[in-house]
Amino acid sequence: MVNEGLAHVSDRLLFLAVVLYAFAMLGYAAEFAFGKRARATADAIEDEVARIEVPADVSALALTASGPQPVVERPASYHGPVLGDGTVVDLDAPEPRRRPWRRDPADPGAPRGGRGDALGKGAVALTVIGWGLHIGSVTTRGLAAHRVPWGNMYEFSSMIALIAVTTYLVILLRQPIRYLGAFVMLPVVCYLGIAGTVLYTPAGPLVPALNSYWIKIHVVAVILASGIFAVSAVMTALYLVRSRYDTVTAAGREPGSVARLGRLLPDAKKLDTNSYRVVAFAFPIWTFGIIAGAIWAESAWGRYWGWDPKETWSFVTWVIYAGYLHARATAGWKGRKAAIICLVAFAALTFDFYGVNLWFSGLHSYQGPGV
Amino acid sequence: MTTTDSDAPVAPGDSVALSTQPLPPPPPQLGRRSPWQVARRGWRVLTSMRTALLLLVLLGLAAIPGSLIPQHSLAPSTVLRFQEKHPTLSKVYDKFDLFDVFHAPWFAAIYLLLFISLIGCVIPRTRLHLRAMLRRPPAAPRNLGRLPQSARWETDLPPDRAVELAAKALRRKRFRVAVGEHSVAAEKGYLRETGNLLFHLSLILLLAGIGTGSLFGYTGSVLLVDGHSFTNVAALYDTYKPGALTRSTSLSPFSVHLNGFDATYQADGEPETFDAHVTATTAGGKTTSNDLRVNHPLTFGHARVYLIGHGYTLHVVLRNKAGVVEYEDDVPCIPQDLTDYLSDCVVKAPNTGGTIPTVLKDPQTGQTATVDEQLQFAFLLDFVPTAAVTAGGVISTYPAPQRPRVIVQAYTGDLGLETGVPQSVYDLDTSTLNPVAIDLQHQVITPGGTDQTVALPQGYTLDVSGYGQWASLQVKDDPSKLYTLIAAGLIVLGLLLSLRVRRRRVWLRATPSASGRTIVEAGGLARTDADDFAREFPRLVARLAGDVRPSESS
């Protein structure tokens, strides 16, 4: 029944993917380290540029309005639109092509080239190849077992890691977030390492309770939401580091060893906004996942909600994330407090997946460590 | 409510937070407040967003003990075991309903307060939103240059024409547009608030659906032995839990006959398929053959029938010395372990027709007397589907009956069935019974095999002449299930709208200048997601300015 050859290929592909992710992580980390030097050079160049007089006739300098813009003196003959901050809006400029993955993460304006930049680009390339192999691993696993490749905790973990990497790559297509690379890859590599060793389950058919088309709906939604939440948790943790760095340096003190990382990160507000958006994207998916689970439970166990430990903890997770989204809208709870709620929510999510399976026996305990 | 991540200034009347009321104003002066004032203040506090948030978090926290402490509703036997092990702690837990968290009054109090708070928030806010939708977008502020987003350009078009073209362009961008004298006010993204309200209203609807379902519905379960039938009547259930308002005399009429049960397993003992072959008869006398499987319940009106468990039965026959059958039944065995299906079967045969001399002792005088008591038998039979002999005894190595054996223990004595104290048919208290010595070769027998007969005192014999299967069915009737489902769907829709749609306002003013040209000023305010709007605004300006462009030829 199980195609052993394909199952073997799947295991190999996952191993290769983890190796590539690990190297990508090293690349991102090295870029981080070199980035410091590169930025120091960039500052020097900027100082140099500042001393050069700007020529009077800059009418040709029609700027597109995206990203930080220098204020440009416009000639008296210009009657086109000018934004409140003095930026000239070019009516004929095409939409700028955005290639954020090619830009230095923490400082999009920094000069290209340089060792750090090359390392970062290389790391992105490795991530993409690893991601391809990872997809290959998941696909062959499904083909080997003739079913969806998310039937037990090992497969589930692999899928969540895949979604986390996918989320990172998708955001990278839109925004320069290469700084996230090392911090996403580190948990992904550890997580896949644990999945491939401790949680590993050979390919096999599904137990009857899981054999339903709802496994394609409920479990996919839950995996998607979890993978995306994972990325938001990484961003939130980085936000906390950066905001700590800001507070400490503003007070004129020397930042601690962790807070020092903050110097290399983009500004706190940006991190905070990004992580909020990622949560806001994942939250409806999580909600849908719970509802789909309830519909499935109705047809499998005869009730849509029964406070089974898994149900209880997904509800707790939902409530805390809902609390986070609300907290962002309440003045007194913005910033660090809201960020901590977000991390607590992610902790509840993690517990929902692993704690509940390992410590409680409930209806969600399927083969060995179940889903 | 999930509304904003912007730090943009907010126009008057815009409520960023869910609460319709700003935080209660400080109490006027010292002095007595009338009960009406106190009530009003209480209502304000209850319906403030902070309270709602607190209650939400509290609800999450309150659910946690329900997963940490064994619950009556989920695992009653685990609760009993826990209570035996920790009697003092259990008393404390019981005091706070911690063995039944989800039905505890304090749990209900939290969610009822939360929903009152929600209703208190949502209704006034719905009114505000409806009013906002009927109203024209608010008129342009005096100084557009002071808005977070602004732009300015000149055009040769007269102000009227410029405004007209801009309004047209904004309408094309699906803004709601109000044209004033030489000015345009436009707003977009009302669906955000609509979604927000839809989400919260649907939450209330969902709770109402759950509540009605548990008031009018019922849950029952029944263990059905191969070849037997079940008719949907409250009295025939093994367990039956009606809601407070359920009319138990008129349950959906149907009956189910179990023709057979098939279970298949993988080589490692993991189950592969469960399939109960049933014949269902509905009120009209219509009979259908069905396969009742996990994930595939049968539906009769509101009621649905689920396969939730299975196990083995043993066919047991007790005969007296003359060979007359005194007891015969298919006894259901309860699996002790779902991976190997080693199962316990309890047989209680109080009426055997025989008597047994019994020594009775008077507790007061200490005198003893021998009387003939009714002979009662009890048996503990362990069904081993696939038996293997190890040093520790006989174990089961596979859940399917590949090498079925039965381990026999027999007892005589008073089973206590006449005392009136209720006892479970699946449990046997052997402490007051006398074990019957069984010869070694009959301690483990093969059901239906040549060694199936066990010799008992007074010439009685026990035959385990075969084995079968039982299936346990659960019947659940929830009349409001559909509404609950619709509410759940609307929750997701509302969430998507309230988290994805961005609300923003754009204003435009055209003023003739001394040079004969027209100065156009534009301003924008994002009520949500200021960063995105900062990117959108220049593009919008380019579009508007492009349409309201000076004709270069002139």
Side-chain angles (χ1 to χ4, degrees), chain B residues 71-314:
Chain B
Q71 297 292 297
H72 276 304
S73 53
L74 297 174
S77 55
T78 320
V79 175
L80 289 179
R81 236 173 298 153
F82 185 91
Q83 284 169 333
E84 272 165 27
K85 228 168 131 189
H86 313 279
T88 341
L89 189 60
S90 294
K91 258 181 220 143
V92 179
Y93 279 6
D94 250 337
K95 207 161 214 143
F96 296 102
D97 296 303
L98 287 175
F99 291 117
D100 208 4
V101 167
F102 304 109
H103 302 104
W106 54 266
F107 191 78
I110 297 174
Y111 71 71
L112 286 178
L113 276 177
L114 176 61
F115 275 80
I116 293 172
S117 165
L118 266 183
I119 292 169
C121 286
V122 167
I123 289 176
R125 192 153 165 170
T126 309
R127 216 167 40 218
L128 274 180
H129 183 53
L130 286 177
R131 209 178 295 159
M133 290 218 289
L134 295 172
R135 215 172 38 200
R136 293 148 57 94
R142 191 176 300 272
N143 190 349
L144 291 176
R146 286 169 74 177
L147 288 168
Q149 300 296 327
S150 67
R152 186 192 159 88
W153 67 93
E154 293 178 16
T155 173
D156 292 333
L157 296 170
D160 294 354
R161 182 76 186 134
V163 160
E164 190 185 316
L165 285 174
K168 207 168 131 191
L170 283 168
R171 281 203 189 96
R172 234 187 350 257
K173 284 254 170 201
R174 296 196 290 120
F175 272 86
R176 183 182 285 244
V177 177
V179 180
E181 198 190 349
H182 294 181
S183 72
V184 177
E187 185 163 5
K188 187 175 174 175
Y190 288 78
L191 270 179
R192 184 188 190 89
E193 178 68 357
T194 310
N196 201 357
L197 293 169
L198 180 67
F199 168 74
H200 288 84
L201 284 170
S202 310
L203 268 183
I204 297 167
L205 205 68
L206 181 86
L207 192 83
I210 294 172
T212 339
S214 62
L215 276 181
F216 292 96
Y218 62 88
T219 310
S221 63
V222 63
L223 186 150
L224 197 52
V225 173
D226 210 349
H228 288 65
S229 292
F230 166 75
T231 303
N232 191 23
V233 174
L236 294 180
Y237 280 106
D238 296 335
T239 60
Y240 174 73
K241 288 181 203 151
L245 301 174
T246 308
R247 290 171 58 202
S248 296
T249 47
S250 56
L251 307 186
S252 319
F254 67 85
S255 73
V256 175
H257 181 86
L258 182 63
N259 305 319
F261 184 88
D262 285 330
T264 58
Y265 301 90
Q266 299 170 34
D268 62 355
E270 289 291 338
E272 209 164 61
T273 59
F274 297 136
D275 196 344
H277 310 291
V278 296
T279 306
T281 312
T282 52
K286 216 178 110 203
T287 303
T288 45
S289 285
N290 294 291
D291 282 335
L292 178 57
R293 285 173 291 150
V294 180
N295 281 319
H296 298 276
L298 301 179
T299 306
F300 303 97
H302 285 312
R304 296 186 95 183
V305 182
Y306 302 86
L307 175 64
I308 55 164
H310 74 108
Y312 292 101
T313 58
L314 288 178

Side-chain angles (χ1 to χ4, degrees), chain A residues 2 17 80 85 107 109 118 122 214 227 240 242-243 266 295 298 326 339 344 349 356:
Chain A
V2 173
D85 63 0
D107 182 5
W214 282 103
L240 285 173
R242 172 74 204 207
S243 94
I295 300 173
E298 195 277 330
H326 282 88
V344 171
L349 178 72
V356 168

Side-chain angles (χ1 to χ4, degrees), chain B residues 389-404:
Chain B
V389 181
T390 66
V394 179
I395 59 158
S396 177
T397 57
Y398 195 67
Q402 290 180 341
R403 226 175 8 260

Side-chain angles (χ1 to χ4, degrees), chain B residues 23-34 37-38 41-42 44-45:
Chain B
L23 269 186
Q29 255 84 46
L30 283 178
R32 287 174 61 93
R33 270 176 278 149
S34 72
Q37 277 174 316
V38 173
R41 191 177 150 76
R44 280 186 178 210
V45 170

Side-chain angles (χ1 to χ4, degrees), chain A residues 175-239:
Chain A
Q175 283 183 47
I177 52 147
R178 231 157 58 196
Y179 65 88
L180 257 186
F183 302 100
V184 170
M185 284 306 148
L186 178 68
V188 161
V189 168
C190 297
Y191 188 60
L192 284 175
I194 294 170
T197 48
V198 182
L199 303 174
Y200 184 78
T201 319
L206 291 175
V207 296
L210 290 182
N211 205 346
S212 158
Y213 59 88
W214 282 103
I215 197 173
K216 295 188 184 126
I217 301 167
H218 163 64
V219 184
V220 166
V222 163
I223 288 173
L224 267 177
S226 317
I228 302 171
F229 277 141
V231 174
S232 84
V234 170
M235 287 173 157
T236 308
L238 294 181
Y239 159 77

